[in-house]
Amino acid sequence: MPPLKWLCPLIIGGAAAASAHAGPLTFDEAVARADQSAPAVQAANLRVRAALAAAPAAGQLPDPRLSFGLENAPVSGPMAGRMNADEMTMARVGVMQELPNRAKRQARSAVAQAGVGAAQASRDQEALEARLGAALAWLDLHYARRRLSALADVEASLEPLWKTLPARLAAGSARPGETVEADQWRAELADQRSELRAAEARARAELARWVGDPAAEAEGPPPAFAIDGAALAAGMERHPALREAAAERVRAEAELAAARADKRPDWAVEAAYQRRDPAFGDMVSVGVTVSLPLFAKRRQDPVVAGRVSDLAAARAQTEAARLELEARLKSELADYDARRERLGRAREALLPLARKRADLEVASYAAGSTGLAEVLMAFDSLADAKLDEIAREAELARVAARLALTYGTPAP
């Protein structure tokens, strides 16, 4: 594994390289780019690396201790202050190794491994949010441009009418006020165009946020998601939120085991070498120390009780996360079905009727049986119907993308 000081330039360089490839992105390319270059995902990857790097140390023995000392030095009597006068005076150097009980070491290692699992699940959650953010931004940009194009088509379809208006005014078959009505309608279209351009700019900025490309563009058609409610429900266990909750439960279990292990004695062994005056000879000492958890009711038991509650809370949180995901999935599937029906009505009824009305009003206007105001109203309705049809398609695509990416996320 490369040192951390090497990782940061690599990550920054990778992000810069991703930004250098400016240009149009397909939907799949945008999602993949966000999965790789989103800063939140990179930060989560580093947290996983940190947890993996630290985990092996959790179950190791503590560092040994080196001790120095002077023993049995006289401080009173005829030999006071004379370090070489008493045969019991000696300099000591020793080494002590603490030996926590095996259950405690295993529990500490399990806590560290649970931290790795939690970091990995958190990383997967960040990656999911990045993919979903890029997907929705791509769709918003695609459909904003579609709405702008539809508005331009409606405006272009009235160009022949604008060209004939001066002749009709000269012939007396059109009212002078109709020119004002035409200008008003053009101004209203300009307002709609401004709003759509602002929506396009917002979507492009959001896409740039996720893919790291300030000049990102949406290219190609949106994907045709195949939404299968049963398959999505079956794959829900792979969702990062559930795996993150499961990792927290495993961590709580390990911390409970560590608290219970504190009720067992710990050991320590020590060896020391004592140097005395050469006339008396040197000495060696060895010893064993054992901790005595005699007051568990006041020390260890309250901690164990707290960890038991933490574990119960983690299990409840896991169940709450599962119920939340199940409810959200059912709600979004119902939303998907409703939006699909609304899109069908727009395509099969509302848009064809608006187009037919506009055609009839143009024919009546050409025959001199209706005024320009009626024609403009019909085309205003046609523009609204076209924009509404595209908006409904965009809403359906957003819901489908959220379902496919959120619940159809492949297992890492």
Side-chain angles (χ1 to χ4, degrees):
M1 184 180 298
L4 185 59
K5 65 179 180 179
W6 292 0
L7 288 176
C8 293
L10 287 175
I11 291 170
I12 295 172
S19 299
H21 297 289
L25 297 170
T26 65
F27 180 88
D28 290 338
E29 288 171 345
V31 171
R33 182 78 63 83
D35 196 27
Q36 297 172 0
S37 62
V41 178
Q42 294 178 356
N45 281 329
L46 289 175
R47 286 193 291 271
V48 172
R49 286 179 179 270
L52 286 170
Q60 300 300 311
L61 291 174
D63 291 333
R65 297 181 181 181
L66 181 64
S67 61
F68 302 91
L70 181 65
E71 297 183 358
N72 302 323
V75 295
S76 63
M79 292 183 290
R82 297 167 58 190
M83 297 297 109
N84 59 352
D86 192 308
E87 66 178 38
M88 296 303 296
T89 301
M90 54 190 135
R92 179 182 57 81
V93 58
V95 178
M96 183 179 69
Q97 175 65 62
E98 294 180 353
L99 300 173
N101 65 75
R102 185 177 181 182
K104 182 179 292 186
R105 297 199 306 271
Q106 290 176 338
R108 289 173 179 172
S109 181
V111 170
Q113 291 300 323
V116 172
Q120 291 172 335
S122 178
R123 185 267 316 277
D124 293 340
Q125 181 67 34
E126 291 286 357
L128 171 59
E129 292 178 3
R131 293 194 298 269
L132 186 57
L136 297 181
W138 190 97
L139 291 171
D140 289 344
L141 180 56
H142 172 82
Y143 284 106
R145 293 166 59 183
R146 284 265 306 272
R147 287 193 289 270
L148 278 169
S149 178
L151 195 64
D153 290 343
V154 172
E155 192 171 15
S157 65
L158 283 176
E159 282 301 319
L161 199 65
W162 307 141
K163 293 178 181 179
T164 62
L165 186 56
R168 292 175 65 88
L169 286 171
S173 58
R175 295 178 292 103
E178 290 181 351
T179 58
V180 177
E181 294 170 351
D183 291 339
Q184 288 177 331
W185 193 76
R186 286 192 179 110
E188 291 172 357
L189 280 185
D191 282 345
Q192 285 184 292
R193 189 181 302 108
S194 296
E195 292 177 2
L196 291 176
R197 284 175 177 167
E200 180 186 21
R202 288 193 297 269
R204 184 176 290 107
E206 189 69 11
L207 183 59
R209 167 195 173 192
W210 294 111
V211 304
D213 181 359
E217 289 290 345
E219 180 182 57
F225 294 105
I227 301 302
D228 184 343
L232 294 177
M236 193 171 58
E237 290 297 326
R238 298 191 300 263
H239 193 282
L242 284 184
R243 290 192 289 109
E244 192 170 8
E248 291 300 328
R249 186 191 68 244
V250 172
R251 191 207 300 268
E253 291 172 349
E255 290 177 347
L256 174 58
R260 286 172 172 165
D262 279 339
K263 299 178 70 173
R264 300 182 182 182
D266 292 328
W267 295 71
V269 294
E270 183 177 11
Y273 177 79
Q274 292 113 349
R275 181 173 179 77
R276 299 192 296 174
D277 186 276
F280 303 117
D282 297 340
M283 304 180 71
V284 173
S285 300
V286 294
V288 175
T289 303
V290 181
S291 66
L292 300 176
L294 299 177
F295 306 101
K297 290 185 178 180
R298 294 196 299 270
R299 291 175 55 82
Q300 288 85 8
D301 286 350
V303 177
V304 171
R307 296 297 176 262
V308 168
S309 296
D310 288 341
L311 177 57
R315 288 172 175 167
Q317 187 61 40
T318 301
E319 185 62 20
R322 177 177 288 104
L323 293 175
E324 180 183 358
L325 277 178
E326 289 176 353
R328 192 189 306 168
L329 175 59
K330 292 177 181 178
S331 174
E332 291 181 354
L333 285 172
D335 193 23
Y336 174 79
D337 290 338
R339 293 186 184 281
R340 185 173 55 180
E341 292 173 1
R342 293 182 73 248
L343 177 59
R345 279 191 293 271
R347 288 176 172 172
E348 297 168 9
L350 297 178
L351 184 56
L353 289 173
R355 187 176 289 113
K356 182 178 181 180
R357 177 189 172 190
D359 293 341
L360 291 174
E361 292 293 352
V362 169
S364 298
Y365 182 75
S369 59
T370 190
L372 182 61
E374 287 75 14
V375 176
L376 293 179
M377 289 179 60
F379 271 86
D380 192 53
S381 297
L382 176 60
D384 288 343
K386 283 188 174 183
L387 295 178
D388 181 63
E389 186 262 343
I390 297 173
R392 293 185 185 197
E393 182 180 342
E395 292 169 357
L396 178 63
R398 284 176 62 89
V399 174
R402 186 177 291 108
L403 283 167
L405 293 177
T406 302
Y407 302 97
T409 304

